[in-house]
Amino acid sequence: RPHSMPTKTPPAVVKQIVKARWRRRLGPVQIAGELGIAASTVHAVLVRCRINRLNRIDRVTGEPIRRYEHDHPGALIHVDVTK
């Protein structure tokens, strides 16, 4: 493993990318246009942060969608939704 990565994306830029993704749900090309960096860099950062797919984020709240899978079809699940 290398001791240093001189071409690593700076943490400040990573924060801007993640912020633009969560707040406005923009794609890599739009974020890259705003920040003046390559779309491939933006995509790599989003993959690293595991927010590269917009269909995995709830459009209204911005929270990651939680899916429940069970071994048996038709199995009931109890979800407490009170805050």
Side-chain angles (χ1 to χ4, degrees):
R1 182 176 167 143
H3 291 284
S4 66
M5 294 180 66
T7 59
K8 184 177 179 181
T9 308
V13 175
V14 172
K15 271 186 166 181
Q16 289 177 338
I17 292 170
V18 171
K19 186 177 172 182
R21 180 61 153 206
W22 283 118
R23 297 250 170 126
R24 294 182 307 212
R25 320 269 194 296
L26 297 176
V29 175
Q30 291 88 4
I31 295 172
E34 277 187 7
L35 300 179
I37 55 178
S40 59
T41 302
V42 174
H43 177 69
V45 169
L46 294 175
V47 169
R48 234 180 291 137
C49 296
R50 297 181 186 210
I51 53 174
N52 60 321
R53 300 275 179 178
L54 280 174
N55 63 357
R56 295 184 187 159
I57 300 172
D58 185 26
R59 291 177 185 247
V60 178
T61 62
E63 296 285 326
I65 296 176
R66 294 184 190 99
R67 301 194 191 283
Y68 299 96
E69 297 180 10
H70 292 279
D71 298 335
H72 309 291
L76 296 176
I77 182 171
H78 170 76
V79 178
D80 188 13
V81 294
T82 57
K83 293 188 177 186

